[in-house]
Amino acid sequence: MTATSVSRTTSATPSQTTAPADLARWVDEMASLTSPDSIVWCDGSDEERQGLIDLMIDAGTLVKLNPEKRPRSYLARSNPSDVARVESRTFICTDDEDDAGPTNNWADPASMRETLTGLFTGAMKGRTMYVVPFAMGPVGGALTRYGVQVTDSPYVVVSMGVMTRMGAAPLAQIAAGAAWVPAAHTVGAPLNPDDADVPWPCNETKYIVQFPATREIWSYGSAYGGNAILAKKAFALRIATALGHDEGWLAAHMLLLKVTPPADESGTPGVARHVAAAFPSACGKTNFAMMRPAVDGWKVETLGDDIAWIGPGEDGRLRAINPEAGFFGVAPGTSVDTNPVAMETLVSDTIFTNVALTDDGDVWWEGMTKEPPAHLIDWRGNDWTPESETPAAHPNARFTVAAHHCPTIAEDWDAPDGVVLDAIVFGGRRATQIPLVAQAFDWRHGVLMGASLASEQTAAAEGPVGKLRRDPLAMLPFCGIHMADHWADWLRVGAQAEAAGAVAGVHGTPHHAPAIFHVNWFRKGPDGTFLWPGFGENIRVLAWALGRLSGTADAERTPFGWLPGEGEIDYAAAGVTDAQWRRLMAIDPEALAEESEDMARYLEGFGDRVPAELAAALAQRLRSLRSAV
Ligand code: GTP
Ligand code: SPV
Ligand code: MN
């Protein structure tokens, strides 16, 4: 391993000499607090990564997979108590409780600091503290921001190396004066000299804490996903909503894709469009971002699968970047039928967590093949056969893989200035009421659609699977500011884009804010099966949306929004019958009015911070639904 391992008492390492004084001081403070045996400044090199992987194989944290089946890939099995984000242990600490809003767990900053100081004291004894500088976005890019995570988990370091641009390049930006967010992480499992380590150290006590005002993150007790890879939800969403609020941009739980229609009859190539889409956790962002279109000639390319930062470019048009550099995707349900692009992304260089191990040293999960293998080692490390009563892979088992391994990665996925955003899609997991697709009347109505998102609970977080919960903008567990203030940010950023677009001559032609659509892949028929085949067939929905942008697709006005006109979507080609299509697109004004009334009651919980425009849009929707009953 080439990374410089140093005892705390030795003089500065080469990396430390390039670290600015404030960073060096913070690292010193963290070391005094947590008492690690040694400190390693990570440079992000391949040698460093391999060294950490070898270390984890020795420790039993990683199992090397069969290099012929799955080159340079590994399996991690977490502690069974550490398998998903823990929303109940996630806190937003603001001086005034009102500033965290009703959707967050609030804690008093002073007493939380006291709690954390107690927990972090000596927490890294017997372990190495890794210092992990990272960039969210292309290093040097206009929308890019920086952070430094300290952690005692080599699994987290390697994950951060996949999910972010990590090491020397971001450190150089920080040394040159870029602002950085400190993120302190420990698994909370100090080792005494005679203690044997366990493969997945963690602590029953967990805290994932954000201080939005001071842009700080503290995380204790978990090594799993968003709890521990602090660049992801803690920084790129929770802290970033606070940054965006102050600076005039939006942090969104959104995938980012590029879609290109086939050439027309005269051979003129189709115009590529960029689309961002927000779906709650485990509702298909990765699938949509990597879609293999079921219709010939259409092309979908991937820019991101989980987070987008959206802000005005120099000409006032909204641009977006994917701040991440990898995918941390749900494995179960991923197959050559549902997501062939993901399957191709995962052929090598992947870390799998909590999937099952096959007898020939490869991985398997529910849904990967129709027939499960006759024997597996399940995610807990036990023998498993198809007769077993528990799943072989944990439902929130995940893969961690770099974006550049994706065969459909778009050439502009890491463009320093991002890409111009043409359309925004909101979607939930709704068995009833919500049609396959609708277009918002305008930006304001679109923000209402986003704020009204609700979804049946999935395995990505703790809680009863299947229960309907409201998940505004798919941000419920990820908003670091008062949710109503975040809605106001959406309204403001859109209004500014509209205003900039109206100024003649700014960019040659006038333009508008992105068009907004609402989708639902999950509506069910009376027999409980999905009415829409989804996956690659979703291109038909995207195609209609693109037609709306270019003015070539027809729509019918309904109280819910613009719905595809007769014959606009060739559902028969997707295997959907006329009767199924009618159910899929049915608008029941009475049920939707009830839903809107429920939304109105929900908004009451946000008090007088609810933007007047949003309340007005809801009142308008309710009026038109009632008059349609
Ligand atoms: P996070 O990483 O948790 O933020 O979630 P994600 O939105 O990236 O989730 P992911 O793409 O992994 O969601 C996977 C789930 O959505 C699986 O259960 C899929 O079967 C399901 N899914 C994705 N697309 C479709 C679709 O078009 N139709 C149906 N019925 N299910 C879908
Ligand atoms: C989600 O739950 O939305 C995820 C997974 O993307 S995690 O990074 O663990 O939050
Ligand atoms: Mn997510």
Side-chain angles (χ1 to χ4, degrees), residues 85 232-233 253-255 277-289 305-307 327-334 338-339 395-399 429 458-461 474 478 520-524 530-538:
R85 279 184 299 100
K232 205 171 168 54
K233 308 301 185 173
H253 192 201
M254 287 183 149
L255 67 95
F279 306 157
S281 301
C283 289
K285 284 188 299 302
T286 305
N287 290 82
F288 199 48
D305 83 328
D306 197 45
I307 298 175
F327 308 120
F328 180 64
V330 180
T334 307
T338 60
N339 196 340
N396 193 40
R398 297 223 172 211
F399 52 80
R429 184 184 281 265
T458 68
F478 306 125
N520 177 25
W521 314 140
F522 299 94
R523 200 167 187 174
K524 288 182 176 170
F530 292 120
L531 288 163
W532 178 249
F535 305 102
E537 299 291 353
N538 293 336

Side-chain angles (χ1 to χ4, degrees), residues 56 68-69 91 137 195 211 220 266 290 306 370 384 404 429 464 483 487 569 611:
M56 284 191 276
E68 277 165 25
K69 303 248 160 202
F91 298 90
D195 285 356
F211 296 88
Y220 181 89
S266 67
M290 297 182 183
D306 197 45
K370 284 196 184 69
W384 186 95
H404 64 84
R429 184 184 281 265
M483 184 64 83
W487 296 333
I569 291 183

Side-chain angles (χ1 to χ4, degrees), residues 94 98-100 145 212-213 215 235-252 309-312 475 479-493 496 609 611:
T94 48
D98 281 348
D99 288 335
R145 296 291 183 275
R215 328 289 200 213
F235 183 171
L237 292 176
R238 297 193 193 101
I239 296 296
T241 44
L243 291 169
H245 181 71
D246 291 348
E247 299 172 7
W249 52 275
L250 303 167
W309 286 355
I310 301 168
M475 285 290 280
C479 196
I481 61 175
H482 193 294
M483 184 64 83
D485 291 351
H486 188 51
W487 296 333
D489 288 347
W490 269 82
L491 291 164
R492 183 165 49 115
V493 166
Q496 280 167 357
R609 294 221 201 188

